[in-house]
Amino acid sequence: MPQGWAADDAGTQAPEPEHVVAPDSLARVLLAAASRALRREDCADLGRQPTLSRFRRTPQPVRRLAVARAGSRAAMSVPRAGEIDAERVARWMVDHYRARWYPGMVIGSPHGAAVHLATALGVPWLPSAFEVTVQWPKGCVDNPVGALAQGAQVAARIIAGNPGVGIRQVHDPAVRGVLAGSTVSLVVRWRGLPGPYRRFLGNHLAPGAPVLLLRDARTWPALDSGPGHTFQVGSPASGLAPADFLPASKVLDQLLRGLGGDPARWELPGAVSPPGYAEHGVEPGFEASLRDWVQGRGGPLHRILAPRPEALSAAVADAYRGWLRSAGKSGNRCVVECGRLLDPWQVVRAGLVPYWCENASRRSVAGAEWWLAGSSPFTSVDVLPESPGMRSPALAGLPQWLAVASFGSRRRAVDRVAARGYPLTPMPTRRATEVLRGQPYDLPTPPPLRVVDALAALRDSGSPQGLLVC
């Protein structure tokens, strides 16, 4: 049997989940961090170098080609993608957690603050989708029409073998850089609660325990390509607007030229539907089946709808500060994390208040600035800027990150190693662990945050920012 494959229950061969879920995807990193935090472990072993960090000392034209090839080698082939078993992936995800009783669950869209919330509550976090990257041998960053054709072929194969999923394809050179020209990115979203999730909840969730469902409520135009397959050009995570991906856009022109593409070849695949939930939205069927399951067990389902990532980040940071202070700690030391640079256990161990930026876009970093400006002063602010691995028109410069750190009254620190390679050299997740291990211990850790207190804090802090908790 080829390496990386396993026989499923029907005797056919399916790729192992660790070879299916994109290694650099946010949900995968968050799942690894969340499960370690519940075991009171940090992320020191998460040392994978992101693909966009490679070949940084080579000339740009050579580097672009080398990174694109490396990304293609790490991606799935079209035939292998057609053998994906979404139920097996769900089983692999729940197997990250130890078999014991849990007092609740956080589930839904990928967000670093949701993982911090789950850690404070002492409960698992699980995603409602997973990302797959598939090879696109003759692709290029300036060809969304070709990306759609390649993605539609792959999506049809995946859906044929997994009728319980929907697929959102994203072609976004502003986020994925040259990788958008050598691979296609597919977000596989469960349309109902998968069997392994049901069994995990049934076997390990305490009777009557609450479940918190996080929904990313951002919208983006998308094209209905075929049964179960939708396609979007660009994404909210880019820090750009949908109009910036139109052919006449000067922003797009600058972006594509920086990636070795030709703006004159850029053509959109057709009319799109009115904006709906973007790639990290939760499928309605997933929410409905989760609600039915939870209510059938006599427990409450609480929904958290985030119109912007910054709203949840600010609300969770405020909840952490209140939680720490109620345990007799100062709550006056803050860490601003970014993307995959986070470590939930080290945050708790050091008694820090975590604010999570989705990425290094100006919009995301500005959210941290506004939150710090409106908060009572922190004595120290440490900043972990994640390099995107490329230059982008929406990118925050180092001065903006320094401005974030300047809110510390005594200590103001931007990680020098991360800053030295910014914005072209992304760091592995363990870099956050290395930095946070240098923080003074603040033990013992507080007792777990109660769900009722967490919800009250989220409502109090998040409502003015549009966060809906119901």
Side-chain angles (χ1 to χ4, degrees):
M1 182 179 297
Q3 185 178 6
W5 292 69
D8 64 16
D9 295 338
T12 59
Q13 291 182 336
E16 293 284 0
E18 56 265 33
H19 299 287
V20 171
V21 182
D24 292 337
S25 62
L26 177 61
R28 180 166 183 165
V29 173
L30 294 181
L31 179 63
S35 58
R36 282 163 174 75
L38 281 195
R39 298 193 299 268
R40 304 173 71 88
E41 298 174 2
D42 60 25
C43 299
D45 60 330
L46 299 184
R48 173 184 162 80
Q49 292 285 346
T51 303
L52 287 174
S53 71
R54 302 176 187 179
F55 313 107
R56 57 184 180 273
R57 289 187 173 86
T58 56
Q60 276 304 307
V62 177
R63 182 176 186 265
R64 286 195 296 261
L65 182 60
V67 169
R69 287 179 175 173
S72 181
R73 287 194 299 268
M76 302 189 74
S77 67
V78 173
R80 289 188 70 187
E83 299 293 336
I84 287 175
D85 183 347
E87 291 288 298
R88 185 184 293 275
V89 173
R91 191 181 315 135
W92 172 76
M93 288 181 168
V94 299
D95 284 347
H96 279 68
Y97 295 99
R98 289 176 176 169
R100 65 176 179 86
W101 286 106
Y102 293 101
M105 172 76 69
V106 179
I107 194 168
S109 303
H111 194 294
V115 171
H116 282 298
L117 178 61
T119 301
L121 295 170
V123 305
W125 173 86
L126 288 172
S128 57
F130 60 94
E131 184 179 337
V132 178
T133 54
V134 183
Q135 294 170 354
W136 183 20
K138 297 182 180 180
C140 49
V141 293
D142 53 27
N143 186 13
V145 174
L148 172 58
Q150 178 77 354
Q153 175 192 173
V154 179
R157 294 189 180 199
I158 295 175
I159 293 172
N162 301 272
V165 305
I167 294 178
R168 172 63 60 88
Q169 180 182 351
V170 182
H171 183 74
D172 190 355
V175 171
R176 304 191 65 236
V178 295
L179 298 179
S182 62
T183 61
V184 294
S185 176
L186 308 175
V187 181
V188 182
R189 308 193 294 202
W190 284 290
R191 290 182 155 179
L193 197 63
Y197 278 27
R198 291 177 181 271
R199 290 188 289 275
F200 181 79
L201 291 170
N203 295 333
H204 304 297
L205 200 64
V211 175
L212 278 60
L213 172 65
L214 170 64
R215 286 180 49 187
D216 185 335
R218 290 179 292 181
T219 61
W220 199 265
L223 172 71
D224 288 324
S225 170
H229 176 224
T230 53
F231 177 81
Q232 71 181 55
V233 176
S235 69
S238 67
L240 303 174
D244 292 322
F245 292 91
L246 298 177
S249 166
K250 293 182 179 180
V251 172
L252 178 69
D253 185 285
Q254 176 185 349
L255 174 66
L256 292 179
R257 291 186 187 280
L259 297 173
D262 182 359
R265 292 202 298 259
W266 183 269
E267 180 182 351
L268 297 181
V272 297
S273 304
Y277 290 125
E279 69 274 15
H280 292 313
V282 175
E283 290 283 342
F286 184 94
E287 178 179 339
S289 62
L290 177 63
R291 180 179 60 249
D292 291 343
W293 190 94
V294 173
Q295 292 177 350
R297 293 283 298 241
L301 175 66
H302 301 282
R303 297 189 306 155
I304 304 172
L305 278 68
R308 298 172 294 106
E310 299 82 17
L312 183 64
S313 293
V316 170
D318 288 338
Y320 253 71
R321 200 171 202 183
W323 175 51
L324 292 171
R325 287 180 169 176
S326 69
K329 301 179 184 297
S330 71
N332 283 338
R333 294 186 296 135
C334 176
V335 57
V336 177
E337 302 165 322
C338 183
R340 296 155 189 81
L341 289 182
L342 80 169
D343 191 320
W345 173 244
Q346 284 294 336
V347 164
V348 171
R349 191 272 308 163
L352 301 174
V353 175
Y355 182 98
W356 182 78
C357 294
E358 181 181 36
N359 52 36
S361 68
R362 288 193 299 271
R363 179 188 305 165
S364 186
V365 181
E369 291 180 282
W370 280 109
W371 173 72
L372 286 164
S375 301
S376 56
F378 286 92
T379 56
S380 72
V381 176
D382 283 78
V383 179
L384 300 171
E386 182 186 44
S387 295
M390 54 179 284
R391 301 188 187 278
S392 165
L395 182 67
L398 275 178
Q400 190 173 0
W401 287 110
L402 290 168
V404 172
S406 71
F407 283 94
S409 61
R410 297 179 185 173
R411 173 181 167 85
R412 313 168 185 89
V414 175
D415 177 40
R416 293 183 179 181
V417 174
R420 191 179 303 128
Y422 190 87
L424 298 180
T425 309
M427 305 297 296
T429 299
R430 71 179 177 197
R431 179 57 196 165
T433 305
E434 294 166 355
V435 172
L436 295 179
R437 278 182 173 179
Q439 291 282 345
Y441 277 57
D442 194 357
L443 298 175
T445 59
L449 178 64
R450 297 191 310 160
V451 171
V452 62
D453 294 332
L455 294 175
L458 293 179
R459 290 190 182 100
D460 182 59
S461 176
S463 294
Q465 303 186 63
L467 190 73
L468 178 62
V469 181
C470 55

